[in-house]
Amino acid sequence: SKHLKLPEKRMKKSHIVQQCNQRIGRCMNLIRFVTEHEYFVGKNVAIIEQCVKPLLQFADRPEEIDFEDDLIFCIDALIKKSRSCSPMMQELFPYLQKFQMKYNGVLANLTCCLNSYIIFGKDFIESDERNVQLLLEMVWRAISLNPAGDHNFNDESNADFAR
């Protein structure tokens, strides 16, 4: 009897997560509009960041959501509009690799976002070699995809990259 309840609980949780994803997904267009337009953002970047912060917690587990592209566009827009890399955006940087993993190694929409980090967060990227390393690892992961979308790593190429 206990064994039968476990899958039922899992199904209920999955259904709740799916409903939550749908509701947030519907609202993300409005949130993106606000983050991407100067009329709203202007001098209100910090306020908007604080309002969007609860959604950015999903950056830790993009495999569970259906609106990861919208999150990436919001992060990109907030960096571009503020022309800087705020502490919140700096905190999110290491999580971008999780988006890439969800995209099976492809950078996809991360390309523009990473470019914004490089341009407007130059000091942040340069401030810690782990940031530079993470950025280069993401690029290398994307470059190392073969046409079938599989990683074409071998021990030699990994050793060369690590040097």
Side-chain angles (χ1 to χ4, degrees):
S1 178
K2 269 188 175 180
H3 189 24
L4 295 175
K5 289 183 183 179
L6 185 61
E8 184 180 314
K9 281 185 179 181
R10 216 178 283 145
M11 282 179 46
K12 282 184 182 178
K13 183 178 179 183
S14 174
H15 182 67
I16 291 169
V17 168
Q18 186 179 13
Q19 284 180 327
C20 189
N21 267 334
Q22 289 172 352
R23 274 186 266 144
I24 294 172
R26 286 187 202 120
C27 296
M28 283 306 295
N29 284 333
L30 293 171
I31 294 167
R32 273 187 61 193
F33 185 82
V34 169
T35 61
E36 292 174 353
H37 288 84
E38 194 65 38
Y39 175 81
F40 292 105
V41 179
K43 296 178 182 179
N44 301 311
V45 173
I47 293 168
I48 292 171
E49 267 190 7
Q50 288 305 309
C51 291
V52 175
K53 188 175 183 175
L55 291 176
L56 297 177
Q57 71 182 334
F58 291 106
D60 185 32
R61 46 190 194 286
E63 68 281 354
E64 294 180 9
I65 59 173
D66 298 329
F67 52 89
E68 70 280 349
D69 286 337
D70 292 313
L71 282 180
I72 292 169
F73 291 132
C74 285
I75 293 167
D76 183 42
L78 289 168
I79 292 171
K80 283 178 180 169
K81 296 297 180 191
S82 66
R83 303 187 63 75
S84 67
C85 194
S86 72
M88 185 187 310
M89 296 300 118
Q90 292 175 22
E91 191 178 320
L92 284 168
F93 183 70
Y95 295 105
L96 296 180
Q97 66 185 335
K98 292 185 177 194
F99 289 94
Q100 185 183 22
M101 294 301 182
K102 182 173 181 176
Y103 299 146
N104 297 317
V106 177
L107 286 174
N109 293 320
L110 285 169
T111 305
C112 290
C113 189
L114 290 173
N115 193 46
S116 293
Y117 271 97
I118 292 167
I119 293 170
F120 300 112
K122 180 181 177 289
D123 293 337
F124 161 69
I125 298 291
E126 291 177 345
S127 70
D128 188 337
E129 73 178 36
R130 291 176 296 185
N131 296 333
V132 175
Q133 182 177 2
L134 176 63
L135 179 66
L136 293 175
E137 284 173 359
M138 290 177 70
V139 170
W140 181 250
R141 192 176 297 121
I143 289 171
S144 300
L145 289 175
N146 68 29
D150 299 323
H151 287 283
N152 192 18
F153 288 118
N154 59 41
D155 292 336
E156 255 181 59
S157 66
N158 282 335
D160 288 343
F161 183 69
R163 287 186 196 141

